């Protein structure tokens, strides 16, 4: 992945973790200026400049300081765009504030409000004829078969079976659907959605987070009729909510058919397994936002990405020699709590099942690099 030249335009990136967007910017020929919570080693290596944002994975990004951090990071630069990733779903007013200062290339705060408000999405799905699990805001009389979810939450760590947790502010209740978790990555433009590809996702349960995100594999094949149905639903949502650019939609594909779970109105966790050097997705994202002609990559084989978590506290993370096909490298000296993410692991194979097996095997292998330090 060649570095952009000094004369290349700059992209300003803000996210909980900006590494995948920084990699996408480099593939697209941009210099990246990244502000996130971690400033991981490879994020720093991929970027021209980085800055730490205040906040946390659970609480999101600190709204009070972000404009000052981004302004200092930008300096005298005139970035081509500000692209945001995860961390803003629960506070779309921050997106409003950013759009007043920076050239925002992504969904507006109004769109994020419309798509991430559980009650609004539920009503929208009913109006558009899109299957969506039942939701309610009072505790179910019979908690079996219901999940408690944080409005605007991401990553699965906030999801709990209702029977295991008391009601908390900001949470709502969603009927649990049986089936496999799939996600469609798409480009939204001018009231239409163009599907880039479909991935299958899995969880990495912990004692406190049974639905914590584990990883995803890009599928080589997906049922044509189901893909057409998803495309039709996404067209409707794109028109009604004015979606633009890279977005993803999560579904449960089960015995009762497809059910939309949520829309992520920004580049998300599967960017690593769908981005390509031939058709860099950040370029297509910017073209979609500007209303220009967009292209979609053609894929061969399968790719998978998974998160490696630590199961124990680490007071001072060791200086690890990271193997190939890993990313989001933890900084030496970092302090980690049980359940914190340590790195992302990647794998490629001829089939989706082989890629999934390979990435899960490599997660266990990579974990030995820091486990051995604490035997």
């Amino acid at each position: 992945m060649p570095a952009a030249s000094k004369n290349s335009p700059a992209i300003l990136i803000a996210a909980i973790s900006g590494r995948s967007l920084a990699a996408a910017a480099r593939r697209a020929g941009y210099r990246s200026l990244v502000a996130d919570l971690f400033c991981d080693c490879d994020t720093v290596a991929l970027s021209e400049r980085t800055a730490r944002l205040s906040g946390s994975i659970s609480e999101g990004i600190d709204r009070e300081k972000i404009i000052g951090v981004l302004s200092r990071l930008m300096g005298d630069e005139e970035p081509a765009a500000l692209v945001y990733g995860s961390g803003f779903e629960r506070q779309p007013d921050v997106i409003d504030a950013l759009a007043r200062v920076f050239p925002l290339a992504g969904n507006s705060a109004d769109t994020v409000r419309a798509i991430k408000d559980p009650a609004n999405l539920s009503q929208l799905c009913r109006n558009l004829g899109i299957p969506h699990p039942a939701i309610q805001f009072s505790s179910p009389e019979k908690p079996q078969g219901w999940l408690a979810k944080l409005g605007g939450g991401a990553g699965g760590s906030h999801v709990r079976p209702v029977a295991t947790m008391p009601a908390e502010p900001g949470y709502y209740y969603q009927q649990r659907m049986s089936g496999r978790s799939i996600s469609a990555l798409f480009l939204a433009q001018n009231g239409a959605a163009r599907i880039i590809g479909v991935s299958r996702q899995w969880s990495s349960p912990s004692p406190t987070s049974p639905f914590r995100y584990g990883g995803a594999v890009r599928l080589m094949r997906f049922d044509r009729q189901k893909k057409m149905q998803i495309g039709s639903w996404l067209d409707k949502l794109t028109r009604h909510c004015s979606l633009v650019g890279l977005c993803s939609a999560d579904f449960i594909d089960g015995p009762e058919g497809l059910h939309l779970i949520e829309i992520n109105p920004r580049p998300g966790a599967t960017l690593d397994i769908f981005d390509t050097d031939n058709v860099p997705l950040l370029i297509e994202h910017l073209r979609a936002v500007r209303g220009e002609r967009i292209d979609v990559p053609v894929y061969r084989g399968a790719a998978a990405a998974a998160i490696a978590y630590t199961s124990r506290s680490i007071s001072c993370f060791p200086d690890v020699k990271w193997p190939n096909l890993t990313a989001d490298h933890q900084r030496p000296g970092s302090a980690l709590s049980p359940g914190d993410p340590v790195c992302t692991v990647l794998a490629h194979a001829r089939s989706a099942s082989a890629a999934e097996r390979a990435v899960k095997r490599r997660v266990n292998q990579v974990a030995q690099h820091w486990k051995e330090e604490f035997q």
Side-chain angles (χ1 to χ4, degrees), residues 153-166:
S157 293
H158 62 97
V159 182
R160 306 280 193 282
V162 171
T164 67
M165 69 171 290

Side-chain angles (χ1 to χ4, degrees), residues 112-192:
V112 174
R113 289 187 187 99
I115 215 76
K116 296 306 290 186
D117 178 80
N120 189 74
L121 179 62
S122 180
Q123 182 63 53
L124 189 59
C125 286
R126 281 196 296 273
N127 293 344
L128 298 178
I130 301 172
H132 181 67
I135 70 164
Q136 60 185 61
F137 293 89
S138 57
S139 298
E141 292 184 7
K142 297 180 179 179
Q144 291 77 16
W146 287 82
L147 300 172
K149 307 178 77 171
L150 179 64
S157 293
H158 62 97
V159 182
R160 306 280 193 282
V162 171
T164 67
M165 69 171 290
E168 294 183 18
Y171 277 77
Y172 68 101
Y173 304 95
Q174 186 178 80
Q175 186 178 19
R176 185 172 182 176
M177 308 299 299
S178 60
R180 64 176 184 165
S181 297
I182 63 166
S183 182
L185 183 66
F186 64 99
L187 281 162
Q189 182 190 59
N190 297 331

Side-chain angles (χ1 to χ4, degrees), residues 238-259:
T238 296
R239 284 195 298 273
H240 279 76
C241 299
S242 301
L243 286 163
V244 294
L246 279 170
C247 306
S248 62
D250 295 339
F251 296 86
I252 294 294
D253 183 11
E256 300 176 60
L258 287 162
H259 284 75

Side-chain angles (χ1 to χ4, degrees), residues 7-306:
N7 296 323
S8 300
I11 290 285
L12 196 57
I13 294 167
I16 284 179
S17 174
R19 192 272 317 158
S20 63
L21 281 169
R26 178 171 286 199
R27 286 191 190 94
Y30 288 95
R31 294 177 296 115
S32 57
L33 313 174
V34 180
D36 71 4
L37 299 184
F38 306 107
C39 287
D40 289 328
C41 297
D42 46 342
T43 305
V44 173
L46 286 164
S47 309
E48 183 160 302
R49 294 193 297 276
T50 59
R52 290 284 287 269
L53 292 172
S54 300
S56 67
I57 295 175
S58 59
E59 297 298 325
I61 294 167
D62 187 333
R63 69 183 68 193
E64 302 299 327
K65 299 178 181 178
I66 184 170
I67 289 180
V69 171
L70 290 174
S71 296
R72 289 189 293 274
L73 179 63
M74 186 174 67
D76 296 330
E77 291 267 9
E78 291 290 340
L82 165 62
V83 178
Y84 66 85
S86 64
F88 300 94
E89 289 88 345
R90 293 172 58 194
Q91 42 191 11
D93 55 309
V94 178
I95 299 173
D96 268 331
L98 293 175
R100 288 193 288 268
V101 180
F102 306 104
L104 187 72
N107 282 293
S108 70
D110 285 343
T111 294
V112 174
R113 289 187 187 99
I115 215 76
K116 296 306 290 186
D117 178 80
N120 189 74
L121 179 62
S122 180
Q123 182 63 53
L124 189 59
C125 286
R126 281 196 296 273
N127 293 344
L128 298 178
I130 301 172
H132 181 67
I135 70 164
Q136 60 185 61
F137 293 89
S138 57
S139 298
E141 292 184 7
K142 297 180 179 179
Q144 291 77 16
W146 287 82
L147 300 172
K149 307 178 77 171
L150 179 64
S157 293
H158 62 97
V159 182
R160 306 280 193 282
V162 171
T164 67
M165 69 171 290
E168 294 183 18
Y171 277 77
Y172 68 101
Y173 304 95
Q174 186 178 80
Q175 186 178 19
R176 185 172 182 176
M177 308 299 299
S178 60
R180 64 176 184 165
S181 297
I182 63 166
S183 182
L185 183 66
F186 64 99
L187 281 162
Q189 182 190 59
N190 297 331
R194 190 166 177 186
I195 294 176
I196 296 169
V198 178
S199 61
R200 181 175 66 242
Q201 302 185 349
W202 60 87
S203 59
S204 176
S206 75
T208 57
S209 300
F211 298 97
R212 181 179 65 179
Y213 177 77
V217 60
R218 188 182 74 219
L219 299 178
M220 296 174 61
R221 300 176 185 85
F222 186 71
D223 183 273
R224 183 178 178 184
Q225 292 299 318
K226 290 181 179 178
K227 188 174 181 180
M228 290 176 62
Q229 180 65 81
I230 288 172
S232 173
W233 292 337
L234 295 180
D235 281 344
K236 293 179 181 179
L237 287 167
T238 296
R239 284 195 298 273
H240 279 76
C241 299
S242 301
L243 286 163
V244 294
L246 279 170
C247 306
S248 62
D250 295 339
F251 296 86
I252 294 294
D253 183 11
E256 300 176 60
L258 287 162
H259 284 75
L260 174 70
I261 302 301
E262 65 178 347
I263 298 288
N264 298 303
R266 38 78 182 169
T270 59
L271 185 58
D272 283 324
I273 59 175
F274 283 103
D275 203 9
T276 70
D277 292 331
N278 294 332
V279 184
L281 288 179
L282 189 64
I283 289 178
E284 304 312 315
H285 171 76
L286 297 174
R287 286 175 175 169
V289 170
R290 295 192 295 254
E292 300 171 0
R293 185 182 67 84
I294 54 175
D295 294 318
V296 171
V298 175
Y299 300 101
R300 292 183 179 179

